[in-house]
Amino acid sequence: MKKVTLLPVILVVLLTLFGCSRKTEPPKEALSSAGNIQNGGYVIEIDGEYYYDSQEDDCSLYKVSAEGKETKMTGGGHRFYEMNYCDGYIYYVSGAPGKVHKISVDGRFSKKLVNQRVGNLLLYENRLYYRLSEDDDWGKLYSAKLSGKNRTLLAQKVLEFCIYDGRIYYCDIENESALYSMKLDGTDKVKINDSYTMGLITENGMLIYSDKNREDNLFLYDIERKVEKCISEDKCWNLNSNNDWIFYRNQSEKGSLYCISFDGREKHKLIEGNISHIVVTTDYIFYRDIGDKSKIKKYDLKTGLE
C-alpha cells in the first residue's frame, strides 16, 4: 500500500489560513485637491517630493527630491496635467483636456485608462471622478474604478466640481448653472443656491467659489450651517487654498496674485503682475507668469520670496 504524507496538505492549509488572516494595508490616501486640479495640476507633492510637467523638456515628467535632486522620470510624449496620487501611482490627463493615464512613481510602468478627453479629474476613496470634454459629450460627469472600468454616469452637464465628506458639489449647467450637490453615486441631487460658480473648491468645511452672476465676487458657503457669505468684492479667478488662506488671481487688478483670510478681514497682494494657474503645495505656490511667456514660477509661502 502506498504511503500518503500529510505534509503538503498541512502546508497548503497553513498558507491558506495565513493568507486569509493576514491584514493588508489599504491603499495610500489620494493626494489631490480640486483647487490644484482646476488650476492645471501640473505639479504634485508626494511625501516631500515634487513631480512636475516640464516646460523646457517638452512632454516630460520630472521629480525633485526632498534634497533638491532633479530626476527625469519619463518622456511620455504628452503632458502631465491634473495629477492625482494613490498607492504608488500618479493618475493624470495627457493634455488640456486629455486622456486619462496612470504612471508608477518610478516611471517604469504606465497605462492609458480612459480613451476620451477629460477635464477636472479627481480621486476620492479609490475611485476616479471626471468630466468629459468631448464635443458631443461635454460636461458628462462619470465615476469609475481606478482601472477606468465600470464607469457610472452621474450627471449630464457639469462645469466644475469638487468632493467633500461623501458628496459631490458641482455647477449644474443643465439646471440654470446653479450650485448643486449629490451623493457619490449620482443620487439625492439637491440645489444649494443660484450661484453660477467658478473655481469651486472646498476647505475647512466651506465651499469656496466666485459667482459669475455676481461680478465674480468671492463667496464662502458653510456646508454644515448652510450659510453663504461674500468675503471679497474683487473679481476673483483661479481660486485655490490651504488651511489658512484663499489664493486668487485678482482680475480687478490686472491679474495680480492675492490671498485673503477665511473671515475676509485680511487681504494681501503677494505678486504684482499677470498670473494664472495657481497650484498650492505645503511650502510653495506654483503659478504661470503670463507676462513672461507663461513660464512656471514659484512663491515661497514661508519667506514670501519668489
Side-chain angles (χ1 to χ4, degrees), residues 21-22 68 90 116 134 137 148 154 175 197 248 259 263 280:
S21 63
R22 183 178 57 184
I90 296 171
Q116 290 179 284
E134 303 276 2
D137 292 322
L154 306 178
N175 287 291
T197 58
Y248 62 96
C259 70
D263 59 12
V280 180

Side-chain angles (χ1 to χ4, degrees), residues 211-224:
D211 185 0
K212 289 187 68 174
N213 292 330
R214 291 176 282 185
E215 300 181 337
D216 292 330
N217 292 169
L218 181 60
F219 291 86
L220 297 185
Y221 180 86
D222 188 311
I223 295 173
E224 183 176 346

Side-chain angles (χ1 to χ4, degrees), residues 129 139-143 152-159 161 166-176 178-193 226:
Y129 293 83
K140 288 184 177 179
L141 179 60
Y142 282 94
S143 167
T152 302
L153 179 63
L154 306 178
Q156 289 286 346
K157 207 77 169 177
V158 171
L159 180 60
F161 72 94
R167 290 190 71 86
I168 300 170
Y169 295 86
Y170 62 104
C171 181
D172 194 339
I173 302 299
E174 200 172 39
N175 287 291
E176 300 179 346
L179 176 59
Y180 274 75
S181 77
M182 62 181 165
K183 290 182 178 179
L184 297 176
D185 62 2
T187 62
D188 189 31
K189 291 181 171 68
V190 177
K191 182 177 179 180
I192 295 174
N193 60 36
K226 299 182 180 179

Side-chain angles (χ1 to χ4, degrees), residues 270-271 299-306:
L270 303 180
I271 300 172
Y299 174 91
D300 193 314
L301 285 167
K302 292 182 179 178
T303 66
L305 299 175
E306 295 184 65

Side-chain angles (χ1 to χ4, degrees), residues 52-62 72 74-80 94:
Y52 69 91
D53 177 80
S54 174
Q55 281 187 309
E56 286 72 24
D57 188 0
D58 195 35
C59 299
S60 296
L61 180 67
Y62 277 77
K72 182 176 179 178
T74 183
H78 52 239
R79 290 297 187 187
F80 295 82
S94 58

Side-chain angles (χ1 to χ4, degrees), residues 58-185:
D58 195 35
C59 299
S60 296
L61 180 67
Y62 277 77
K63 178 180 77 172
V64 180
S65 70
E67 296 74 31
K69 181 182 177 181
E70 191 171 57
T71 305
K72 182 176 179 178
M73 304 307 296
T74 183
H78 52 239
R79 290 297 187 187
F80 295 82
Y81 291 153
E82 300 189 18
M83 288 189 283
N84 297 259
Y85 172 77
C86 184
D87 198 24
Y89 289 92
I90 296 171
Y91 296 77
Y92 66 97
V93 298
S94 58
K99 298 174 181 180
V100 179
H101 300 251
K102 75 174 183 178
I103 184 169
S104 58
V105 291
D106 60 11
R108 295 179 181 177
F109 176 85
S110 63
K111 184 179 181 180
K112 185 189 294 181
L113 304 176
V114 179
N115 195 31
Q116 290 179 284
R117 291 188 303 157
V118 163
N120 210 157
L121 172 69
L122 283 174
L123 268 64
Y124 186 82
E125 294 185 350
N126 300 315
R127 288 186 68 83
L128 303 174
Y129 293 83
Y130 59 87
R131 183 200 66 222
L132 287 186
S133 295
E134 303 276 2
D135 291 339
D136 294 336
D137 292 322
W138 193 98
K140 288 184 177 179
L141 179 60
Y142 282 94
S143 167
K145 291 183 176 180
L146 291 182
S147 63
K149 297 179 180 179
N150 299 110
R151 71 178 186 177
T152 302
L153 179 63
L154 306 178
Q156 289 286 346
K157 207 77 169 177
V158 171
L159 180 60
E160 289 176 344
F161 72 94
C162 59
I163 305 175
Y164 174 78
D165 197 23
R167 290 190 71 86
I168 300 170
Y169 295 86
Y170 62 104
C171 181
D172 194 339
I173 302 299
E174 200 172 39
N175 287 291
E176 300 179 346
S177 301
L179 176 59
Y180 274 75
S181 77
M182 62 181 165
K183 290 182 178 179
L184 297 176
D185 62 2

Side-chain angles (χ1 to χ4, degrees), residues 103 192 231 245 290:
I103 184 169
I192 295 174
I231 63 168
W245 300 95
I290 297 174

